[in-house]
């Protein structure tokens, strides 16, 4: 490697280092110097997470090769903008305006905004937006408004029109923080670049081996042989791991819970054995001293395969003459029927208005900024310890224990600070991969996927095909619905049962439909695996039924909002799958919406021209809260000798704010003790230290973890309460 001595003035001080100017990027060098506040997301110049200021200009450091950076250049990273006890106004504004959710984009945005304000102290909101767009600063969580708000506020402070004190959050006089914009506890570390995400933790793990994966680049094949001999001789390689090295049964064990599901949920191997079921299956893992060495050796792993027909669309996989993809169950492996009320054919025949259509919804990637990253090691007490981006720490333990060959009670799972999930980290797959590698090598290991690998390996939203007909009476009241929906589950059955149930729960929601006949199918293909994604299965159904509602409104000449208003569930109505609503707020929501909607319709008419016609769309959505009727969550509260309270839970934080959620619930529930927020300590997302609170999914956390907190707080208060109503100390 042709390395060279170089120097840069980083954050005001000269730093000397050695690098390969041809190969190393500015981001590589900065991060190697320990300045891991600069994050690498896409690694391709697209997301802006790695932004730094180079000689006064914002650059995306991941694509700035060191050969193009002159010695002595001035570089400002997030660590040079401000520190926890001396924040820059931008950093404080980011905290106060809720600009930090997952926080992975935060350093890049703040650095970029600093360069903007250096050049233009009084930007307009439009100029702020254009700046971020020009510099490709992408945020997946916030929707950008809080970020623009933060820049505008920080600019005021810098111009002397407002003080830091004015900008800062102020506790209300009664000290109550529930329902306020009290800053999230993890925000400070995120705005200063001090927060270590998975790749940062991996880079700082003493003695850790770096992993690279060997991916299948075909979608369906018999795997005939794997040759690791050349890879094993590559520099720095410690071990090349195949399925033969897996100590357990090499399966993700995710049992089918659906009464009408066929298959045992054991078809997914951790490492390929004799079959490849999708592009992105992992054939081998290389463990080496450095990531570069591991990746170089991974290219030398050879395998032979015999190509099989690839079913990349479920219409092909469902055809009567299609090959069965998995040995033990048919391609259509779940069929959930639904029948409600009278014979729909008769009702539809008698109804004055009928619309019908066929719809497709596409596969969707979650497009988080941070590619998947996991670490694993056996800790000093003998626990197989796995760090990941998981949104369900308990699930990893149950689904991989047999596969990796460690009893569940000897597995500890920890959630790293994560650059968002939006559902994809429900899957326990990459945690299983690193666990296998840690056990096979006997050493700590770390894996960070490239963005391309991340796209191939991680789950996506399931595409769907649907056919449906909807009928209504003269006044627009729905009389019947018939539908069929098929979900493309990808190569494995993982979590498909739940989605199939969602298919018969949310088609036609949130409308009262007296008569219905439906069928929801889960189908295997050779495409990407599918997983949770916001509202898990319901958007696919709603796309179909909401499209039919619009078609019906047009057909009968009724306003689309009023057609919906007429039909939405009201108190006492019963859903398609028999749930009786004691309360349902959609009519009230539409009442509230109506004036805005009407105004928008009028404006669209006014502003339409023959060349450009404007329109207004409306759709209703619905989803359940919690995983099922028997959902549960555990938390623990402990009174400490100094009068503070520690809250232990595994309310996974995906950027949505499990930290602030935990804090405000605890503060509120323990109000009689009169604690300040800083007297509540949080110990979260480590199953070695905290009980299982369940998945951060199904819109359940605020409700489930919140109620568990109230329950725990009441128990603690009761234990502390004296007969005179005052409280015992520790
Ligand atoms: Fe550099 Fe995305 S632009 S990490
Ligand atoms: Fe911007 Fe998560 S807060 S990507």
């Amino acid at each position: 490697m042709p390395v060279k001595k170089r120097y840069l003035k980083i954050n005001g001080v000269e730093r000397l280092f050695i690098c390969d100017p041809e190969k190393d990027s500015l981001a590589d060098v900065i991060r190697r110097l320990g300045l891991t506040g600069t994050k690498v997301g896409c690694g391709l110049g697209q997301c802006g997470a790695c932004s730094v200021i180079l000689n006064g200009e914002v650059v995306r450091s991941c694509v700035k090769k060191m050969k193009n950076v002159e010695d002595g250049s001035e570089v400002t990273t997030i660590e040079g903008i401000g520190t926890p006890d001396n924040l820059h106004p931008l950093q404080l504004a980011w905290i106060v305006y809720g600009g930090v959710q997952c926080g992975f984009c935060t350093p890049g945005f703040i650095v970029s905004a600093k360069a903007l304000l250096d050049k233009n102290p009084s930007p307009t909101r439009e100029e702020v937006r254009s700046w971020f767009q020009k510099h490709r600063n992408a945020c997946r969580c916030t929707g950008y408004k809080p970020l623009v708000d933060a820049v505008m506020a920080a600019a005021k402070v810098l111009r002397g029109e407002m003080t830091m004190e004015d900008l800062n959050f102020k506790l209300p006089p009664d000290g109550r923080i529930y329902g306020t914009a009290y800053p999230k506890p993890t925000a400070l570390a995120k705005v200063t670049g001090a927060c270590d995400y998975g790749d940062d933790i991996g880079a700082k793990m003493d003695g850790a081996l770096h992993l690279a994966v060997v991916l299948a680049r075909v979608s369906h094949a018999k795997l005939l042989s794997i040759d690791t001999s050349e890879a094993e001789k590559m520099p720095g390689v410690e071990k090349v791991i195949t399925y033969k090295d897996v100590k357990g049964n090499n399966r993700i064990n995710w049992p089918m819970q659906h009464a009408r599901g066929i298959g045992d949920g054991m078809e997914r191997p951790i490492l390929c054995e004799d079959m490849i079921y999708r592009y992105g299956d992992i054939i081998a893992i290389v463990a080496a001293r450095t990531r570069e060495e591991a990746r170089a050796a991974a290219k030398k792993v050879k395998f032979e395969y015999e190509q099989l027909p690839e079913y990349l669309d479920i219409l092909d996989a469902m055809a009567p003459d299609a090959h069965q993809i998995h040995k033990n169950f048919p391609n259509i492996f779940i069929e959930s029927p639904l029948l409600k009320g009278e014979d729909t054919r008769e009702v539809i025949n008698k109804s004055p208005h009928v619309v019908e259509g066929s719809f497709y919804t596409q596969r969707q990637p979650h497009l988080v900024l941070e590619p998947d990253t996991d670490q694993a090691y056996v800790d000093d007490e003998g626990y197989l310890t796995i760090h990941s981006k998981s949104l369900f720490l308990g699930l990893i333990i149950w689904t991989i224990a047999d596969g990796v060959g460690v009893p569940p009670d000897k597995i500890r799972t920890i959630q790293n600070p994560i650059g968002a999930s939006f559902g994809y980290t429900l899957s326990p797959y990459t945690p299983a991969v690193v666990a296998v590698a840690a056990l096979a090598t006997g050493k700590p290991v770390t894996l960070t996927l490239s963005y391309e690998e991340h796209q191939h390996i991680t789950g996506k939203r399931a595409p769907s095909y649907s056919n449906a007909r909807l009928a209504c009476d003269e006044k627009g009241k729905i009389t019947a619905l018939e539908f069929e929906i098929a979900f493309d589950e990808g190569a494995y059955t993982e979590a498909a049962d739940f989605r199939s149930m969602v298919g018969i729960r949310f088609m036609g929601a949130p409308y009262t439909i007296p008569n219905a006949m439906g069928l929801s199918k889960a189908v295997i293909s050779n495409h990407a695996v599918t997983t949770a994604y916001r509202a898990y299965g319901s958007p696919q159904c709603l796309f179909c039924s909401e499209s039919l509602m619009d078609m019906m409104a047009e057909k009968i000449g009724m306003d689309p909002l009023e057609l919906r208003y007429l039909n939405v569930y009201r108190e006492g109505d019963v859903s398609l799958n028999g749930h009786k609503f004691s309360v349902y707020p959609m009519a009230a929501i539409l009442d509230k919406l109506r004036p805005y909607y009407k105004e928008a319709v009028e404006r669209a008419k006014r502003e339409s021209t023959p060349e450009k016609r404007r329109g207004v769309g409306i759709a209703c959505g619905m989803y359940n809260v919690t995983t099922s009727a028997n959902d549960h969550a555990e938390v623990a509260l402990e009174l400490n000798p100094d009068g503070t309270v520690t809250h232990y839970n595994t309310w996974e934080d995906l950027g949505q704010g499990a930290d602030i959620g935990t804090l405000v619930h605890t503060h509120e529930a323990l109000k009689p003790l009169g604690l300040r927020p800083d007297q509540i300590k949080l110990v979260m997302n480590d199953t070695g230290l905290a009980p299982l609170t369940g998945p951060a999914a199904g819109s359940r956390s605020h409700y489930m973890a919140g109620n568990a907190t109230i329950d725990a707080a009441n128990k603690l208060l009761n234990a502390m309460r004296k007969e005179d109503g005052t409280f015992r100390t520790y």
Side-chain angles (χ1 to χ4, degrees):
M1 192 167 71
V3 292
K4 199 169 170 188
K5 185 202 100 173
R6 299 289 310 270
Y7 72 97
L8 294 171
K9 197 168 182 189
I10 303 179
N11 299 330
V13 289
E14 198 166 290
R15 302 288 301 262
L16 185 150
F17 53 90
I18 295 152
C19 72
D20 177 346
E22 288 291 324
K23 188 176 75 51
D24 286 333
S25 67
L26 180 56
D28 292 332
V29 164
I30 291 169
R31 288 179 57 78
R32 233 182 274 145
L33 288 170
L35 298 168
T36 48
T38 299
K39 307 300 178 196
V40 175
C42 67
L44 298 166
Q46 297 295 321
C47 73
C50 62
S51 298
V52 298
I53 303 172
L54 174 65
N55 297 327
E57 302 295 332
V58 182
V59 297
R60 293 183 290 281
S61 60
C62 71
V63 286
K64 190 81 185 168
K65 287 283 178 223
M66 279 308 295
K67 67 179 176 188
N68 299 323
V69 181
E70 283 183 18
D71 269 347
S73 294
E74 293 199 20
V75 177
T76 305
T77 69
I78 187 68
E79 292 88 348
I81 302 274
T83 55
D85 51 7
N86 185 24
L87 291 176
H88 187 280
L90 278 164
Q91 291 168 313
L92 179 61
W94 237 256
I95 295 174
V96 170
Y97 281 89
V100 189
Q101 288 196 19
C102 80
F104 197 78
C105 70
T106 301
F109 264 99
I110 290 178
V111 165
S112 179
K114 164 84 166 53
L116 166 66
L117 297 183
D118 285 348
K119 284 180 198 292
N120 177 2
S122 302
T124 62
R125 294 184 73 87
E126 221 23 74
E127 284 169 338
V128 175
R129 283 186 174 268
S130 314
W131 179 271
F132 288 146
Q133 202 152 12
K134 177 172 149 206
H135 293 284
R136 298 200 187 156
N137 292 109
C139 175
R140 180 71 175 84
C141 304
T142 61
Y144 298 98
K145 182 179 178 295
L147 312 184
V148 181
D149 291 343
V151 177
M152 300 306 282
K156 276 192 185 169
V157 175
L158 289 166
R159 291 195 303 266
E161 297 164 14
M162 186 161 76
T163 64
M164 290 286 267
E165 183 56 31
D166 296 333
L167 173 61
N168 211 347
F169 174 83
K170 285 165 208 65
L171 263 184
D174 63 359
R176 188 178 186 219
I177 60 169
Y178 193 92
T180 69
Y182 189 83
K184 60 196 284 180
T186 55
L188 185 62
K190 290 177 177 176
V191 298
T192 51
C195 179
D196 281 339
Y197 292 70
D199 190 52
D200 310 327
I201 291 168
K204 295 169 190 175
M205 256 165 86
D206 196 21
L209 294 172
H210 292 259
L211 305 180
V213 288
V214 179
L215 297 190
R217 300 283 181 176
V218 290
S219 298
H220 195 196
K222 275 188 193 159
L223 184 56
L224 304 175
S225 67
I226 309 172
D227 179 1
T228 60
S229 54
E230 205 181 324
E232 278 158 15
K233 292 186 207 128
M234 291 289 285
V237 170
E238 184 102 1
K239 191 167 178 67
V240 182
I241 301 150
T242 69
Y243 71 93
K244 292 185 185 148
D245 301 295
V246 181
K247 300 197 189 306
N249 66 17
N250 190 36
R251 285 289 182 280
I252 301 290
N253 180 4
W254 194 319
M256 185 84 61
Q257 291 173 22
H258 197 288
R260 291 174 184 273
I262 310 169
D264 56 11
M266 292 281 284
E267 77 287 344
R268 184 174 191 180
I270 300 171
L271 297 180
C272 291
E273 295 166 1
D274 56 350
M275 289 292 294
I276 291 166
Y277 291 109
R278 57 146 187 166
Y279 196 107
D281 270 345
I282 298 180
I283 292 170
I285 314 165
V286 177
R289 271 180 323 203
T290 68
R291 184 181 302 172
E292 292 69 29
E293 287 170 336
R295 286 188 173 276
K299 291 193 185 124
K300 302 290 180 188
V301 174
K302 298 195 174 67
F303 51 92
E304 294 174 314
Y305 60 87
E306 178 190 324
Q307 177 87 48
L308 295 170
E310 297 181 339
Y311 294 101
L312 299 179
D313 188 302
I314 52 167
L315 297 185
D316 295 331
M318 288 195 291
D321 61 347
H323 289 266
Q324 187 168 310
I325 293 172
H326 287 283
K327 277 197 236 36
N328 298 336
F329 58 93
N331 294 351
I332 303 173
F333 63 97
I334 301 177
E335 290 185 288
S336 300
L338 172 94
L339 287 171
K340 183 187 178 197
E342 296 169 24
D343 185 329
T344 49
R345 283 162 301 187
E346 285 179 21
V347 177
I348 288 174
N349 282 341
K350 281 193 238 151
S351 296
H353 303 296
V354 182
V355 289
E356 67 178 282
S358 297
F359 305 93
Y360 172 73
T361 62
Q362 80 280 25
R363 185 173 286 101
Q364 284 178 307
H366 302 69
L367 289 181
V368 292
L369 260 66
E370 179 197 36
D372 209 44
T373 175
D374 306 78
Q375 295 70 41
Y377 50 91
V378 177
D379 76 6
D380 57 346
E381 293 176 35
Y383 287 92
L384 169 63
T385 306
I386 305 166
H387 292 238
S388 73
K389 295 181 68 179
S390 176
L391 64 77
F392 192 178
L393 289 169
L395 184 83
I396 299 176
I397 298 172
W398 307 319
T399 51
I400 76 166
D402 290 347
V404 304
V406 175
D409 60 0
K410 294 304 285 181
I411 301 178
R412 174 178 182 177
T413 52
I414 294 170
Q415 190 202 31
N416 292 327
I418 76 166
S421 167
F422 307 106
Y424 92 85
T425 57
L426 179 70
S427 175
Y429 184 56
T430 50
V433 169
V434 290
V436 160
L439 294 168
T441 59
K443 297 206 171 146
V445 297
T446 178
L447 170 70
T448 300
L449 302 177
S450 70
Y451 213 89
E452 191 229 352
E453 291 165 345
H454 170 91
Q455 288 290 56
H456 293 311
I457 293 172
T458 60
K460 307 288 172 275
R461 188 194 288 284
S464 72
Y465 284 96
S466 51
N467 304 312
R469 346 193 243 170
L470 181 74
C472 72
D473 67 15
E474 294 290 358
K475 294 193 171 121
K477 198 88 177 124
I478 296 171
T479 53
L481 172 71
E482 286 180 348
F483 68 87
E484 180 180 13
I485 184 163
F487 293 100
D488 178 346
E489 303 294 350
Y492 302 108
T493 60
E494 187 175 303
D497 44 4
F498 185 70
R499 191 159 33 234
S500 167
M501 286 186 272
V502 165
I504 54 171
R505 191 182 298 163
F506 293 115
M507 187 67 85
Y511 308 113
T512 302
I513 300 174
N515 308 295
M517 177 168 74
L519 187 62
S520 169
K521 297 178 182 177
V523 186
I524 282 287
S525 71
N526 293 116
H527 217 307
V529 288
T530 57
T531 188
Y533 198 155
R534 289 179 157 179
Y536 208 174
S538 117
Q540 291 93 320
C541 302
L542 298 174
F543 185 79
C544 169
S545 50
E546 285 298 283
S547 299
L548 290 177
M549 288 298 278
D550 279 342
M551 290 161 67
M552 182 65 85
E554 191 175 5
K555 181 163 190 178
I556 65 176
M558 196 169 174
D559 184 279
L561 182 142
E562 299 306 337
L563 178 66
R564 288 171 168 87
Y565 188 75
L566 180 69
N567 285 289
V568 288
Y569 299 132
R570 283 161 171 96
E571 191 179 317
D573 285 346
V574 179
S575 73
L576 279 196
N577 64 337
H579 179 79
K580 188 169 179 184
F581 293 100
S582 55
V583 59
Y584 199 82
M586 192 58 86
I589 290 171
L590 291 175
D591 278 333
K592 185 127 185 139
L593 178 72
R594 189 177 284 108
Y596 299 97
Y597 169 80
K598 281 189 170 165
E599 190 195 318
V601 171
E602 287 309 313
R603 198 173 72 231
K605 281 186 197 155
R606 269 199 318 274
E607 294 177 3
S608 283
T609 61
E611 293 76 39
K612 191 182 273 185
R613 298 187 59 194
R614 296 183 187 272
V616 178
I618 179 167
C620 292
M622 177 180 174
Y623 199 60
N624 54 268
V625 174
T626 77
T627 56
S628 66
N630 300 317
D631 200 355
H632 79 288
E634 291 177 34
V635 307
L637 294 179
E638 182 176 26
L639 177 65
N640 302 315
D642 62 359
T644 61
V645 169
T646 303
H647 183 138
Y648 302 85
N649 73 27
T650 47
W651 175 351
E652 294 87 356
D653 198 344
L654 320 175
Q656 87 282 29
D659 57 342
I660 187 66
T662 300
L663 180 63
V664 296
H665 277 101
T666 315
H667 188 256
E668 182 75 5
L670 291 176
K671 206 162 23 180
L673 296 184
L675 296 173
R676 295 187 313 272
D678 65 294
Q679 290 176 299
I680 296 164
K681 322 265 179 224
L682 310 183
V683 176
M684 295 175 64
N685 294 322
D686 177 344
T687 62
L689 301 175
L692 293 176
T693 316
S699 305
R700 69 184 283 285
S701 295
H702 187 101
Y703 177 71
M704 294 300 297
N707 274 311
T709 302
I710 292 169
D711 187 32
N714 286 338
K715 285 171 179 157
L716 179 61
L717 291 172
N718 288 341
M720 292 170 71
R721 193 172 279 115
K722 292 197 243 174
E723 277 179 12
D724 65 1
T726 61
F727 293 99
R728 286 181 190 89
T729 63
Y730 177 85

